[in-house]
Amino acid sequence: MNILVTGGAGFIGSNLVHLLIERGHTVLNVDKLTYAGNLSSLSAIEDHPNYRFVQADICDAPAMRSLFSEFKPDGVMHLAAESHVDRSIDGPGEFIQTNITGTYVLLDAARDYWQNLPEASDEGASIAGSQANHSSAIIHQPSKKSFRFLHVSTDEVYGSLGETGKFTETTPYDPHSPYSASKASSDHLARAWCDTFGLPVLITNCSNNYGPYQFPEKLIPVVILKALAGEPIPVYGAGENIRDWLYVEDHAEALLTVLKKGKVGETYNVGGNNEMTNIDLIKLLCTILDELVPVNSNSQLELSTNKAIKSYQDLITFVTDRPGHDLRYAIDASKIKNDLGWEPKQDPKSGFKQTVQWYLDNETWWSAILDGSYQMERLGSTEQPS
Ligand code: NAD
């Protein structure tokens, strides 16, 4: 398939692009390269003949239209977004612009392109079929029937759960942060473009991802990098918030499965069957670090703390909670399992260990970020500094 990926230089996008290239697809990665976009996450495939990168803003309608007509995608995987809840508290404007207006622009460019495709191609042409027939000898001709637009979203649109229950695809939307509200709006737009204009849209709502190439402002890299530096590990509130964690490569596999086999107009929840309180997750990461980089072997600790540290857990520090912090998210992922045969493969224990190891092995990747756009400062606190 020719797949147009938006946000392919971000955390999930870069993992997805790696998977698509490995599976023999041709990828056009369209990314604005905001602070969260990082081309070094894609250095291993940057010269691959099936890969092309274009720096562009999804809000730029003429640019999006010309990319569609030039690249002729069989499918779109739309991941570009402002994605950090804390930043959405400090500056919601960018979230409205990219997540809502940008999604609208992209949907409309896709509609224009799709409406002008031939009804069906004889290239063997269902999306699933086109992978089997992939060959440079075949003239590429997507069809109206085979084209798909996959809108990638989050479980945060469903709001907060109590102690029991899980989000299903029919749970009413109840977003609480500017981030989740903007993603909810974009989901509604994607559905409207399907129901009103017939654009073959599919939607996925996924739980928290973890794994390689995650920008250091998100919980797991924050814990790892603060611990390694011997700095206080911030825990919002009492750390009792519960999240479901999915390994990012499992998410990428789920997205490809939905693009190839999903039913047009449907939503699929994607989750890891792996609920944890934030404090338990943070303690687990500290235990993994204790094993991989024992505190007595970490010279950074002596420099940055003046108290005796026996475990990285001694760095845990409770800070003011995030305003509007949802208590619990949990995903019922039985629909994607029963209908499309996808389920997570990564064992969470080894997944978290692999992730910690990845940050240990890839200091060049994250230190370049910490030298530039971000210094791990607290974001999204509505408290005024005294
Ligand atoms: P990310 O912040 O790491 O990456 C976002 C990417 O989008 C960056 O490369 C950025 O440069 C690009 N981008 C931002 N604005 C753009 C614009 N106007 N035009 C073009 N490109 C732009 O995000 P992520 O964590 O990889 O998330 C990707 C998608 O998956 C998002 O839509 C997010 O809502 C969704 N999602 C994320 C998670 C998670 O745990 N990270 C969970 C569920 C769903």
Side-chain angles (χ1 to χ4, degrees), residues 10-12 31-32 34 37 57-58 79 83 98 153 179 183 209:
F11 165 45
I12 302 170
D31 196 300
K32 183 181 172 182
T34 65
D57 187 335
I58 55 164
L79 292 91
S83 71
T98 286
S153 191
Y179 164 64
K183 289 298 290 188
N209 284 215

Side-chain angles (χ1 to χ4, degrees), residues 54-206:
V54 171
Q55 183 171 7
D57 187 335
I58 55 164
C59 301
D60 180 345
M64 291 307 115
R65 280 168 202 275
S66 76
L67 287 172
F68 270 96
S69 59
E70 195 192 311
F71 182 62
K72 301 198 183 342
D74 299 283
V76 175
M77 299 174 96
H78 172 37
L79 292 91
E82 288 293 334
S83 71
H84 189 37
V85 177
D86 287 344
R87 281 183 196 259
S88 81
I89 297 166
D90 289 344
E94 281 297 312
F95 288 72
I96 306 303
Q97 182 63 14
T98 286
N99 299 1
I100 306 179
T101 306
T103 299
Y104 152 68
V105 167
L106 198 70
L107 284 165
D108 229 36
R111 172 166 78 110
D112 214 40
Y113 163 76
W114 168 76
Q115 274 174 339
N116 290 307
L117 288 174
E119 285 304 324
S121 80
D122 20 296
E123 193 191 309
S126 77
I127 273 229
S130 61
Q131 190 189 16
N133 287 337
H134 185 82
S135 150
S136 54
I138 294 171
I139 295 162
H140 193 75
Q141 181 55 76
S143 74
K144 214 168 167 182
K145 198 164 158 235
S146 64
F147 180 78
R148 297 287 181 270
F149 186 109
L150 171 59
H151 174 67
V152 179
S153 191
T154 165
D155 60 355
E156 300 193 27
V157 297
Y158 297 124
S160 189
L161 289 164
E163 280 173 17
T164 57
K166 290 187 173 192
F167 299 133
T168 71
E169 287 78 0
T170 55
T171 300
Y173 276 29
D174 183 23
H176 296 133
S177 71
Y179 164 64
S180 54
S182 66
K183 289 298 290 188
S185 308
S186 67
D187 295 9
H188 290 315
L189 290 175
R191 247 173 229 121
W193 258 244
C194 183
D195 296 344
T196 306
F197 304 115
L199 185 71
V201 168
L202 301 130
I203 299 177
T204 53
N205 293 90
C206 185

